[in-house]
Amino acid sequence: MPDVITVRIQTDSDSFQDVTVKIERPTYHKPFLGGFKHKITGVEFHNAGSQTVPKKRSDKGIEVFCRETQTVFEKNKLQQTKNTTSTQMTKIGLYVSNVTDKLIRPGKYVTADEYHKRRLEAVVVLQTYFRRWHAINLVQNLREKKRLRLKWEAQEELNKKREKEEKLRREHERRVNPKTKEDFELLYHALELWRQEEIEWINRTLTGPARKAALCGLLEQEAQLIASIGRYKLDADEEKQQKAVLQFLDKCAQPKSWKAFDGKITEMDTQYTLRARELLEIYRSISMKDIPKDERIDVLLTLRHTVKEHACKLTQEIVELIDREVDLMLRDVKECNLEGLRKRICTLFLQYIKTPSFNPEVARILKVPPDPLKLYKNVNFCRSCKNYLPSTEFSIPANSRTIGRCRLCCKIDNEARQREACLKYKLILKNLRESEADYQDDAKIVYLVQQQDLQYLIENIWGCQSALSACDDLYDLVMVRWDKHHEWSPWNTILLTKDEADAHLKLCSLQEAYEAAFIHRINHKHIRAKKHFAQIPVMASFLHRSGDQANAN
């Protein structure tokens, strides 16, 4: 807005006058004092306020505002005022009663030393009572801490007892109903322990023909137990195979997903994933048992309609089997007599699903690639079963110079000969790798060590017992760093129980916490581990690097 404006004012009915108006701009911001709004026209009206310029006071030459006039200084002063009193005594012509009078006798004079001595005795009495109160509180706190400590120890003991009972219950459940490979390892290990005990008892108590007869009976019992374990294994393998098939098909039917820039997950179904999901639902339907006859016939007709889309030998065979089952069901054949036929239908339909031409989505998940040339990469020869297998099927120790046997051959040989249970070593290795991953210091050696190397380290170097308490329960033992400031290695480790490991990792100085003899014993074990693992070329490079680092420190 300009500083000067011209305003035309109507002075008469037909005359106007131009007036020049000078705009004075405010030097301050006008506050908003409220207002109202017209409901019909919508025009807003603001409240206005005016303030005249304050009158400036004339200067009289006298300082009106100063610190002396605004500040008050106070002063405290004792003052004794006069108090005029009088007394009256008995005399001739005046009697004053002495009933209310008091007889005052001078007391014993107390010197300054006596006064201070009495004050000191009073202070001693006060200190005595205070110290008694403080001692009572201290004893009560100690008693409360002792009670809490005993309660915690009892709770820990109860928890350990419960964990042990739970572990025994799980082991018993795993032996009664074995499901996994580790469960069957425990069964074979228990069988071997029982066989050795029986042989030891027979050799100790029997001789001659009686011993031979007892050994033959023991061999028959062992064969029966092995056959029983084999039946359990067949059932577990069948259940595991069914779960693996469903998991494989469910993986094929998963929609495509990706993570956007804002962190949200976007999913998209393609024609291939929809096709895989449709085949998955049909497979689940034909795999169901104990369903009504009408529903079973509907499922078979749906399957027949699905596979007839492609004309080949496989689909023709599936259609023939479907027609055969429908015909037998219409003739009221028993369910038990149809189990073999239904298994054949499921097997052929699974083969149909795994064919990329019928189910394109399965091509990216199949272990056997469609291109045969890819099979020549990372393939090794097993000298035991005479098969060419991928490198993932071989368990190669760190000190091995050859490929050796595959995992399946090693498992069969273990079940037939040693029957060792390696679950405890696998758990120790798993806990060790998880603890090393928490340090986030790019540890590498722990991932080079295999289960066989860790087993040698525990059995031959550490004697399968804790270095502190000599506890030999491997399920309660863990391996941790000896010096927590350096990465784990066979020459920087110690075998302890879980509680001992937690306390060990909290130490700031090993020399102050342990005696010199204990440290010397641990260093001797580390030297033995270095001597063994120095034969491995990969480990030797880490060994030289750690040695250079130690010299630098």
Side-chain angles (χ1 to χ4, degrees):
M1 190 171 183
D3 295 334
V4 178
I5 61 175
T6 302
V7 181
R8 175 167 290 184
I9 304 174
Q10 186 177 2
T11 57
D12 202 354
S13 61
D14 55 351
S15 62
F16 296 90
Q17 181 183 356
D18 293 337
V19 180
T20 302
V21 179
K22 186 178 180 181
I23 304 299
E24 292 184 1
R25 303 187 183 278
T27 58
Y28 63 95
H29 179 70
K30 294 176 63 177
F32 177 72
L33 302 178
F36 59 92
K37 181 178 180 181
H38 200 284
K39 293 184 178 180
I40 299 175
T41 62
V43 179
E44 295 183 357
F45 299 92
H46 292 178
N47 297 335
S50 63
Q51 176 65 43
T52 58
V53 179
K55 183 179 180 181
K56 187 175 181 180
R57 298 183 180 183
S58 59
D59 188 9
K60 299 180 182 181
I62 302 174
E63 187 178 3
V64 180
F65 302 99
C66 62
R67 185 176 182 84
E68 286 74 10
T69 59
Q70 297 178 5
T71 306
V72 178
F73 293 97
E74 297 180 355
K75 182 183 295 185
N76 296 329
K77 184 178 180 182
L78 299 178
Q79 185 175 2
Q80 182 67 34
T81 59
K82 296 182 179 180
N83 185 14
T84 305
T85 60
S86 61
T87 181
Q88 179 66 51
M89 303 297 295
T90 303
K91 66 177 182 177
I92 299 173
L94 178 64
Y95 173 75
V96 178
S97 176
N98 58 359
V99 176
T100 58
D101 292 349
K102 294 181 180 179
L103 184 61
I104 299 177
R105 297 178 182 178
K108 184 179 178 183
Y109 179 74
V110 179
T111 62
D113 295 337
E114 294 175 348
Y115 172 79
H116 289 300
K117 181 180 178 181
R118 189 171 60 188
R119 298 298 297 169
L120 180 61
E121 292 176 354
V123 169
V124 170
V125 172
L126 291 176
Q127 289 182 349
T128 302
Y129 281 99
F130 173 77
R131 290 174 181 175
R132 176 176 177 271
W133 171 82
H134 184 69
I136 290 175
N137 290 340
L138 182 63
V139 171
Q140 288 180 352
N141 292 334
L142 292 176
R143 187 179 291 114
E144 183 67 16
K145 291 181 180 179
K146 179 182 177 182
R147 185 185 66 81
L148 295 177
R149 176 70 182 183
L150 293 177
K151 181 180 178 181
W152 177 81
E153 290 180 355
Q155 187 66 28
E156 288 294 319
E157 190 70 23
L158 183 61
N159 292 338
K160 290 182 179 179
K161 185 177 179 181
R162 289 178 180 175
E163 289 179 0
K164 189 173 182 180
E165 292 177 354
E166 182 66 19
K167 185 179 72 174
L168 293 176
R169 187 191 64 79
R170 286 198 305 266
E171 288 187 359
H172 181 266
E173 182 67 22
R174 296 173 71 175
R175 293 183 182 183
V176 173
N177 297 317
K179 300 293 183 183
T180 62
K181 181 177 67 175
E182 289 78 11
D183 298 345
F184 288 102
E185 282 186 0
L186 290 176
L187 274 181
Y188 280 110
H189 183 64
L191 175 63
E192 181 63 19
L193 293 178
W194 170 80
R195 188 183 69 86
Q196 291 178 1
E197 291 178 358
E198 292 295 324
I199 290 177
E200 183 181 358
W201 180 83
I202 290 173
N203 293 333
R204 188 176 64 251
T205 58
L206 302 177
T207 57
R211 176 177 173 274
K212 292 183 179 181
L215 290 176
C216 290
L218 177 62
L219 183 61
E220 291 180 0
Q221 292 182 11
E222 183 182 3
Q224 293 177 1
L225 293 175
I226 292 175
S228 177
I229 295 174
R231 289 191 293 270
Y232 276 111
K233 186 179 291 187
L234 290 176
D235 297 338
D237 290 342
E238 183 178 357
E239 183 179 355
K240 189 187 301 183
Q241 183 180 5
Q242 186 67 18
K243 289 183 179 179
V245 168
L246 291 176
Q247 185 178 3
F248 172 80
L249 298 180
D250 187 67
K251 190 175 182 181
C252 294
Q254 290 294 328
K256 307 290 184 180
S257 61
W258 62 89
K259 191 174 183 180
F261 68 94
D262 55 354
K264 295 182 180 180
I265 303 298
T266 305
E267 295 183 351
M268 181 186 68
D269 281 320
T270 63
Q271 56 180 351
Y272 298 145
T273 57
L274 293 176
R275 171 70 174 176
R277 195 173 304 159
E278 178 186 359
L279 296 178
L280 171 61
E281 295 300 328
I282 296 176
Y283 182 82
R284 283 179 175 173
S285 300
I286 64 172
S287 301
M288 293 176 62
K289 298 180 180 179
D290 300 331
I291 61 175
K293 184 186 298 184
D294 298 336
E295 294 183 7
R296 178 70 183 180
I297 293 176
D298 292 339
V299 171
L300 292 175
L301 293 178
T302 304
L303 175 60
R304 189 175 188 276
H305 177 72
T306 302
V307 299
K308 282 188 68 177
E309 297 176 358
H310 305 87
C312 64
K313 185 177 179 180
L314 178 61
T315 57
Q316 291 176 3
E317 190 174 355
I318 294 175
V319 171
E320 292 177 359
L321 293 177
I322 291 173
D323 295 339
R324 187 184 306 174
E325 183 180 353
V326 172
D327 183 52
L328 293 175
M329 290 177 65
L330 294 177
R331 296 185 182 186
D332 296 332
V333 179
K334 294 183 179 180
E335 297 285 337
C336 59
N337 296 330
L338 296 175
E339 290 182 0
L341 180 59
R342 290 175 177 176
K343 287 183 179 180
R344 287 184 63 191
I345 295 175
C346 289
T347 304
L348 292 178
F349 184 59
L350 181 61
Q351 184 179 352
Y352 174 87
I353 295 175
K354 289 185 178 181
T355 305
S357 57
F358 305 143
N359 185 15
E361 189 66 20
V362 82
R364 65 181 182 85
I365 304 176
L366 285 176
K367 290 185 178 180
V368 180
D371 187 7
L373 295 178
K374 295 183 179 180
L375 293 174
Y376 293 99
K377 299 179 180 179
N378 297 327
V379 174
N380 298 305
F381 179 70
C382 178
R383 301 181 182 275
S384 179
C385 61
K386 307 299 181 182
N387 291 328
Y388 288 94
L389 300 171
S391 58
T392 55
E393 297 296 329
F394 293 86
S395 177
I396 305 174
N399 59 349
S400 178
R401 299 182 182 273
T402 59
I403 298 299
R405 297 177 297 179
C406 63
R407 298 179 187 271
L408 181 60
C409 294
C410 294
K411 183 175 76 69
I412 295 175
D413 181 72
N414 181 47
E415 293 175 358
R417 298 175 185 271
Q418 293 87 2
R419 295 174 182 171
E420 295 180 353
C422 302
L423 177 61
K424 43 186 175 293
Y425 300 107
K426 294 179 181 178
L427 290 177
I428 294 177
L429 182 60
K430 179 182 176 182
N431 294 332
L432 175 60
R433 289 179 175 175
E434 289 178 354
S435 62
E436 285 298 306
D438 294 338
Y439 283 101
Q440 298 181 356
D441 56 357
D442 196 19
K444 298 178 181 179
I445 301 179
V446 68
Y447 299 103
L448 296 175
V449 175
Q450 300 299 318
Q451 177 254 319
Q452 296 89 340
D453 306 320
L454 190 71
Q455 183 175 353
Y456 174 85
L457 190 64
I458 294 175
E459 293 180 353
N460 297 280
I461 304 298
W462 296 96
C464 295
Q465 62 180 7
S466 171
L468 283 174
S469 60
C471 176
D472 56 355
D473 185 8
L474 290 180
Y475 289 101
D476 193 40
L477 296 181
V478 293
M479 268 198 159
V480 294
R481 298 181 179 185
W482 168 248
D483 186 0
K484 63 181 179 181
H485 301 292
H486 300 87
E487 70 168 308
W488 182 93
S489 61
W491 49 89
N492 184 33
T493 183
I494 184 172
L495 186 64
L496 301 170
T497 62
K498 295 179 181 179
D499 297 336
E500 294 169 354
D502 294 338
H504 172 78
L505 294 176
K506 295 178 181 178
L507 298 178
C508 297
S509 176
L510 299 176
Q511 286 72 20
E512 296 178 0
Y514 298 119
E515 296 181 353
F518 179 78
I519 296 177
H520 177 73
R521 188 165 69 250
I522 299 300
N523 291 334
H524 178 67
K525 294 181 182 296
H526 291 168
I527 293 173
R528 291 175 57 192
K530 283 184 181 179
K531 184 177 179 181
H532 174 74
F533 286 94
Q535 305 172 7
I536 307 171
V538 180
M539 286 288 187
S541 62
F542 287 101
L543 182 62
H544 295 319
R545 188 179 66 180
S546 62
D548 297 339
Q549 185 178 1
N551 294 331
N553 293 336

